[in-house]
């Protein structure tokens, strides 16, 4: 079972999770991170590090966020791996916790 980055990461893109990942399974897009389900070893280290509380075990992804399971797998194949922590997006704190950001995802 892999972990999944969900909607709350959109427009925030905090990378605290990247710092603790032992297998470098995060991939970076313009305003969102994803986890490669083929690389994730289910260690759970990223979950408490996410300031946006956007990371869930696949079985625990909220019902209204289930589309992000497939989206993580798809985008992990397209986006480059991120292996070092970076600054969050400039207005990340303003976007954290705001619902309805799915349409704002940049590919």
């Amino acid at each position: 079972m892999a972990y999944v980055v969900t909607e709350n990461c959109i427009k925030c893109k905090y990378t605290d999770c990247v710092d603790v990942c032992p297998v470098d399974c995060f991939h970076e897009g313009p305003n969102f991170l994803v986890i490669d389900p083929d690389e994730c070893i289910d260690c759970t280290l990223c979950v408490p590090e996410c300031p946006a509380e956007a990371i869930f075990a696949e079985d625990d992804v909220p019902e209204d966020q289930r589309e992000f399971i497939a989206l993580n797998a798809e985008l992990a194949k397209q986006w480059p791996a991120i292996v070092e922590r970076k600054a969050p997006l400039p207005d990340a704190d303003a976007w954290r916790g705001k619902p309805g950001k799915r349409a704002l995802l940049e590919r």
Side-chain angles (χ1 to χ4, degrees):
M1 170 181 56
Y3 279 74
V4 177
V5 181
T6 59
E7 181 179 45
N8 209 30
C9 182
I10 298 171
K11 301 282 283 179
C12 293
K13 201 170 83 168
Y14 296 100
T15 58
D16 305 54
C17 52
V18 173
D19 257 355
V20 299
C21 182
V23 294
D24 299 331
C25 68
F26 283 89
H27 292 254
E28 178 183 25
N31 68 350
F32 186 58
L33 298 175
V34 296
I35 294 174
D36 184 336
D38 295 329
E39 297 292 325
C40 180
I41 59 170
D42 309 326
C43 70
T44 76
L45 294 174
C46 58
V47 176
E49 295 301 315
C50 179
E53 299 179 352
I55 303 172
F56 295 87
E58 187 174 334
D59 289 347
D60 297 332
V61 172
E63 194 60 41
D64 66 338
Q65 302 282 304
R66 304 290 293 169
E67 69 183 285
F68 284 90
I69 297 170
L71 191 61
N72 273 240
E74 173 193 340
L75 296 176
K77 289 177 176 47
Q78 299 173 19
W79 289 347
I82 177 173
V83 297
E84 293 180 340
R85 185 178 183 172
K86 297 180 180 181
L89 295 175
D91 55 353
D93 290 338
W95 282 101
R96 183 170 56 194
K98 293 198 178 208
K101 298 190 290 183
R102 173 62 178 92
L104 302 173
L105 174 65
E106 295 176 29
R107 292 178 176 248

